[in-house]
Amino acid sequence: MGIFSAVTSALHKIFSAFSKVSQWVLFILTMIVFYDVVLRYVFNNPTIWALEISEYMLVFLGFFMAADIQAKKRHIKMDFFYSVFPQAVRSCLDALFHMGTAGFSLLLLWSSMKMTITAYRYDSLSNSLLETPLFIPYSIIPLAMLMLLLQSIIDLVEDISHMKVHKKEGSQ
Amino acid sequence: MSATMIIIISISILLVLLMSGCPIFLCMGIAGGLGIFLYSGISGLSVLQTTVFGALSKFTLVAAPLFILMGEIIFKSGISKDLYEAFNRILRRVPGGIAIATVFASAIFGALCGISIAAVASIGVIALSEMLKRGYDPKLAAGAVCAPGALAMLIPPSLLFILYGEVAGVSVAKLFIAGILPGILLAGLMCLYILIRVIISSRGAARDTAEEALSSSGTKTINILIRLWAPVALITLVLGSIYIGIATPTESAALGVVGAYFIAFIVYRSLNWNSFLDTLANSARVTGTILMVFVGAVVFTQFLNILRVPDSFAQFVASLHVSPFVTMLSIQFMLLVLGMFVDGASMIMITTPILLPIVLSQNWNPIWFGVLMITNIEMAVITPPVGLNLYTLATVSDDVSMETILKGTLPYVLVIFLGLLILMTFPQISLWLPGLMR
Amino acid sequence: GESKKAEKEMTLTMATYVPVGYPLVYEEQKFFVDRVNETGKGIVQINMYWGGTLLKGKEVLPGLQAGTADIVFQTGAYLLGSFPVLGIQILPIWPDRSVSHEKLKMETPLAELQNDILKKKDLLQIAAGATVPEFIWTRNKLVRSPKDLKGLKIRVAGKVEAIAIKTLGAIPVTLPSAELPQALQRGVVDGALMNPWSSTGRGVEEFCKYMLIFSISNQSTPIYVKASTWKAWPDNVKKVLSDAAADWEKNMLYLITVKNPLKEKIIPFYEKSGIKAVFPTTDEAKAFDEALRPVLAWWVKQTGADVGNKALELAGAK
Ligand code: NA
Ligand code: NA
């Protein structure tokens, strides 16, 4: 179990580092939109990049905190009934949900990875004057989903070890 | 497997997962993903790569994190105390004055902040302890703090309107402007309710004595009113620029954030480096959780589109031959029930794709429907078992029990429902102002 | 080689971001879908998703590449980033609808040249139709020559348009199209570059006083498939699609020259709603042609000199 907890804590450090980065992405995003507003309305000279870059930053904000939020169990859920279920039922549900998270993140990882590779292989650029190589913003989703997948595997391993502990306690 | 069968399976899975406490993004992601898979196999799932990225990389949606950040700064800025004090001083001589002042302050606060619990946690705490000190009925006091916080969702800027606009494909600017009069209407009804309650029951709330009112008037009131120039200017800037159309909601949100930082750092001097970092951390986290739910909603919506559910569902509802009023009322009751359990943002994202085809097939204005939906969610945040405002008040205040909060707040469900009926009967209340915008 | 025949009816998923009822373009695209579904009974049928319900504007090309759709309609502006050669359809070199139809339709040398390059990235254009010109519409400013444009903020949809507007001394602005009417009304932009066929009934005409009848750029919405999937389809399927595509190209020309001709129908429509159609004199038109030269040079640089110059030559613009 030593390796597992070492890997887990290393991963959690990475996840929370991405959360920190996201905070600054949010701040920079605000400043970019503000800067563009000022240029557009005050100096009559809008940027060609602000709109496009801010859209990519939003994708970043949407995905890169997912693993950290999952690790801290803060995804929005309706847990009214859940909270009155007996512990055994809750453990089973947790394991089920974590399997679901693993499946869902694997699905998005697989599909968005394909899109990223296609964009890279065909050298796809955005249709704006900025000409962003699209594989860069596209790669946000597979990277973030890889982290969410790792987190849900950690959760699953923990679920299983909890169940073992409960079983032992139950049989004693 | 027939499309109808797949739809039934998928929506059942969504509901079962939802009720069993599965994270909401996952409920919709699994229900939608499985539905697509059953209909068009593994290859059909390839659609997710483009739709998820495409749906999230939208400039209009950038307004969401920006307004979340603005609300967070306003929350931390100390404006709420001034707002409350100002209205309290003005309304002291009115029966139930502090309670009514809380409604007014919450409404103005709502014009700066887009989420429902912030007013409860800031204005509410101050107002509640003062009301209790002055011998207000604790139930009355708790209700007057808990319910008006919800006005922030209807009075622009509003996170829920941004999400609804994005899912329904409706102009967020028009939705914002449409929410103004209904928000004022609800605030008015809440005040009326307080007034009637205080007048009917002799022991409700004591009016201030003449000498108290005298001693508190004068220069201090004027000082507070002067200090309020900053929030008033910020509201004018943000909503004004949207209304006259010189800025999109996303652009005005950026103005709003910079203005809010100006107020917090320069005018109120209430923000330091650490609390500045806090505003970023909290807003980023809220953004992350909400956008994840949005991702789930995108997957689910794509499933509905691929199976052409919007068309067939609208036809199905039309084939029932029910009057539009009954249809609307049933929708609202359904939302009321769902709202007991689910938070507002998730509710918008789960139900909008399903309800929108009905709205369009009935020739209802989607802006008007959006207003009705958010008004309904005003009830959701104060209905048990899952009522965000109820828990927020219980968490931030030790002076009142959950039972007191519940008893004091539940009458507002009826007040808001009355408002909902008025808005249903007179669509002009919602549509007049956006109509002037063109 | 041996000819392959479909054993049973094939269903192709087709996507467009154009919504049902969109002026001109919907009618035009529906023609292709109906034609395939009529002539392809027992061989191939199209399962059509309108209005971005399957793939929205930016998603159409990646969606085709991913196999989400088997066949798509897509406007050139959305493809330029990956396929600069398609800019030939957008450049200000098409004075007339029938000329662009004759030069761009399938099996012409210019169509073959584009497809040779598209195939390298697994794309195939199976119909181009014709291009429609994009005019400058302005709120208050009468524009007759390039210098009238100096400093005006003009909304553009694509990259070639942006370069053209910049070259003329104006400021290109990118805005979502839904926000355009309001932006014009409030003066956020001073004008817009639009094709007059699909601008009817979108509220834009209310806020503009002038429309300059000069093609600053052009627009086309060809039909695309993946080259590799096309190759794998049975011959009778390909035949139905190619025939329908050829009919569609002819019908496109019919729609924009006979059913809705510019001079007789489209321009009078706008004049009736109070817009002044500004016809540049020969000298003024020449000044615009002259001023727009650098756009061609810019594009040749994007595609590489060989391809760019060859394409311009085939288009009759050299
Ligand atoms: Na608000
Ligand atoms: Na509730």
Side-chain angles (χ1 to χ4, degrees), chain C residues 97-115:
Chain C
R97 265 70 64 210
S98 22
V99 173
S100 68
H101 171 74
E102 281 309 316
K103 300 270 186 190
L104 287 168
K105 69 180 182 189
M106 289 306 101
E107 290 170 8
T108 58
L110 187 50
E112 301 288 329
L113 174 72
Q114 294 175 65
N115 266 338

Side-chain angles (χ1 to χ4, degrees), chain B residues 39 43 46-47 49-51 54-55 57-58 60 173 242-246 248 302 305-308 436-438, chain C residues 47-50 52-56 58-63 66-68 175-176 179 182-183 185-186 188 206-207:
Chain B
Y39 185 72
S43 67
S46 72
V47 72
Q49 53 183 290
T50 42
T51 35
S57 59
K58 282 222 195 92
T60 43
I242 294 175
Y243 182 69
I244 54 173
I246 59 164
T248 63
Q302 190 63 56
N305 278 339
I306 289 178
L307 273 80
R308 302 184 198 276
L436 294 180
M437 288 169 74
R438 302 218 281 196
Chain C
N47 179 18
M48 184 69 188
Y49 286 93
W50 295 100
T53 47
L54 188 65
L55 298 165
K56 300 199 170 49
K58 277 190 281 188
E59 304 159 15
V60 170
L61 175 64
T68 300
L175 273 179
E179 281 170 24
Q182 215 198 0
Q185 188 193 13
R186 306 293 183 191
V188 173
E206 289 175 57
F207 311 121

Side-chain angles (χ1 to χ4, degrees), chain B residues 339-341 380-381 383-384 386-387:
Chain B
M340 293 168 69
F341 302 99
V381 294
T383 51
V386 182

Side-chain angles (χ1 to χ4, degrees), chain B residues 83-309:
Chain B
L83 278 175
Y84 164 72
E85 287 255 317
F87 283 109
N88 192 14
R89 279 160 190 277
I90 296 167
L91 294 167
R92 274 205 172 171
R93 295 170 143 251
V94 179
I98 307 181
I100 292 175
T102 311
V103 178
F104 273 85
S106 301
I108 301 291
F109 188 82
L112 289 161
C113 174
I115 39 178
S116 116
I117 55 169
V120 179
S122 54
I123 298 172
V125 187
I126 313 166
L128 184 65
S129 67
E130 189 142 344
M131 280 190 269
L132 295 177
K133 215 158 54 192
R134 288 178 185 273
Y136 273 58
D137 176 354
K139 291 201 291 284
L140 173 75
V145 161
C146 209
L151 291 172
M153 300 186 299
L154 197 52
I155 295 173
S158 157
L159 176 65
L160 296 190
F161 273 137
I162 297 170
L163 296 174
Y164 174 80
E166 205 51 60
V167 179
V170 180
S171 152
V172 174
K174 289 196 172 172
L175 285 167
F176 273 14
I177 302 304
I180 295 177
L181 291 182
I184 294 172
L185 171 75
L186 281 200
L189 288 175
M190 287 175 183
C191 292
L192 202 64
Y193 163 74
I194 293 171
L195 213 56
I196 291 172
R197 228 197 105 160
V198 169
I199 290 170
I200 288 176
S201 71
S202 50
R203 82 163 282 253
R207 190 185 318 210
D208 271 0
T209 58
E211 54 194 298
E212 264 178 312
L214 259 179
S215 72
S216 66
S217 65
T219 50
K220 225 176 160 191
T221 309
I222 291 167
N223 279 343
I224 290 178
L225 286 177
I226 288 173
R227 236 184 336 182
L228 281 178
W229 74 267
V232 170
L234 187 58
I235 293 172
T236 315
L237 176 73
V238 171
L239 296 187
S241 63
I242 294 175
Y243 182 69
I244 54 173
I246 59 164
T248 63
T250 306
E251 291 170 335
S252 71
L255 294 178
V257 172
V258 173
Y261 274 133
F262 174 81
I263 289 178
F265 273 119
I266 314 269
V267 181
Y268 281 82
R269 297 173 187 283
S270 47
L271 223 55
N272 55 32
W273 178 249
N274 282 330
S275 47
F276 165 76
L277 290 181
D278 277 351
T279 61
L280 289 182
N282 289 338
S283 327
R285 201 196 63 240
V286 172
T287 302
T289 51
I290 290 196
L291 287 184
M292 230 22 222
V293 178
F294 185 81
V295 168
V298 167
V299 174
F300 190 68
T301 308
Q302 190 63 56
F303 153 69
L304 296 177
N305 278 339
I306 289 178
L307 273 80
R308 302 184 198 276
V309 176

